[in-house]
Amino acid sequence: MATNSTTKKDKWIIGSLLFLSFVPSLAGLIRIFQLITGSGYTVENQRFFNDPIPVLFHIVSVLIYSTLGVFQFAPGFRNKYPKWHRVSGRILVFFGLTSAITGIWLTLAYPKVPTVGDWLFGIRLVVGFWMLFCLAVGFGFALRRKFQFHSHWMIRGYAIGMGAGTQVFTHLPWFVIVGGEPSGVPRDLMMGAGWFLNFLFAEWIIRRKGK
């Protein structure tokens, strides 16, 4: 019974996280295709074509980080393959840190586009440095074999890293009610809401695990 319960939980976790990462992963692959082929050039995305290195590093690191992380948080899979968990966990930390660093790099290096408000710059910096902090602290606890705290901080880091998936849902009310692409402060708030909801969900998971 316990094994069946664990299997169902694993399937739910893996399925949910893969679903959450599907749209941003697809968008990232499309962006890579555009940059390689030179297609889809617009005023909105010209900064990526002018300087493609930061965004390419960011997309690749996010794709690997989100995919590996899916299996890190499935308890049955993790317990069945502890060596895989340790090895892939180190890879996960590397690409998670790369994702956060390149996210900060994108924020600082690329010019502001017309659809972005005044708040998103600061929000992205806070999110990027918070993710860096979570992963560094989580890895430090793993080295000291304090695995409960390690798990907590890795949950926080992964939740923030998956913010783009949640942003799909925070934008839905605008698309349904208003229509068209949001811009300015409304867009900033919807972007920020994706990260904030993931932050709250991570804290809820951590407190639930502690009971």
Side-chain angles (χ1 to χ4, degrees):
M1 182 67 71
T3 302
N4 289 338
S5 176
T6 301
T7 301
K8 288 180 181 179
K9 186 176 182 181
D10 275 14
K11 288 180 179 178
W12 186 87
I13 292 172
I14 292 171
S16 299
L17 293 179
L18 286 175
F19 176 76
L20 190 64
S21 64
F22 174 74
V23 172
S25 296
L26 181 62
L29 291 172
I30 292 172
R31 179 74 70 198
I32 290 174
F33 176 79
Q34 289 175 336
L35 292 173
I36 292 173
T37 61
S39 61
Y41 184 95
T42 65
V43 174
E44 177 74 19
N45 65 25
Q46 65 178 343
R47 64 196 188 280
F48 301 135
F49 289 90
N50 294 340
D51 186 13
I53 299 301
V55 72
L56 286 173
F57 271 104
H58 185 68
I59 292 170
V60 171
S61 61
V62 169
L63 286 172
I64 296 173
Y65 180 69
S66 61
T67 304
L68 279 181
V70 167
F71 299 95
Q72 293 292 101
F73 297 104
F77 187 88
R78 185 175 64 239
N79 295 332
K80 187 176 181 180
Y81 304 103
K83 185 177 180 180
W84 185 93
H85 175 75
R86 291 192 297 271
V87 173
S88 65
R90 289 173 171 81
I91 299 171
L92 186 74
V93 169
F94 173 79
F95 282 103
L97 293 173
T98 304
S99 172
I101 291 169
T102 53
I104 295 169
W105 185 7
L106 293 175
T107 303
L108 296 174
Y110 284 163
K112 180 183 173 183
V113 295
T115 55
V116 172
D118 295 328
W119 296 8
L120 191 56
F121 178 85
I123 293 172
R124 282 173 167 161
L125 287 182
V126 169
V127 166
F129 281 110
W130 173 246
M131 185 173 171
L132 275 177
F133 179 77
C134 290
L135 293 176
V137 172
F139 187 62
F141 277 123
L143 293 177
R144 287 182 281 169
R145 304 187 67 80
K146 295 183 177 181
F147 296 120
Q148 183 178 16
F149 293 115
H150 161 72
S151 174
H152 292 172
W153 285 98
M154 287 305 180
I155 289 172
R156 292 182 174 111
Y158 188 74
I160 289 297
M162 296 291 281
T166 309
Q167 286 161 2
V168 174
F169 299 99
T170 58
H171 281 68
L172 274 179
W174 180 278
F175 295 141
V176 172
I177 298 170
V178 180
E181 289 286 339
S183 62
V185 173
R187 182 173 185 266
D188 296 359
L189 293 176
M190 283 181 274
M191 296 283 284
W195 285 305
F196 186 64
L197 288 174
N198 280 17
F199 168 81
L200 293 179
F201 186 71
E203 296 305 316
W204 177 75
I205 289 291
I206 290 166
R207 280 153 182 74
R208 194 162 175 260
K209 283 166 64 82
K211 290 181 179 180

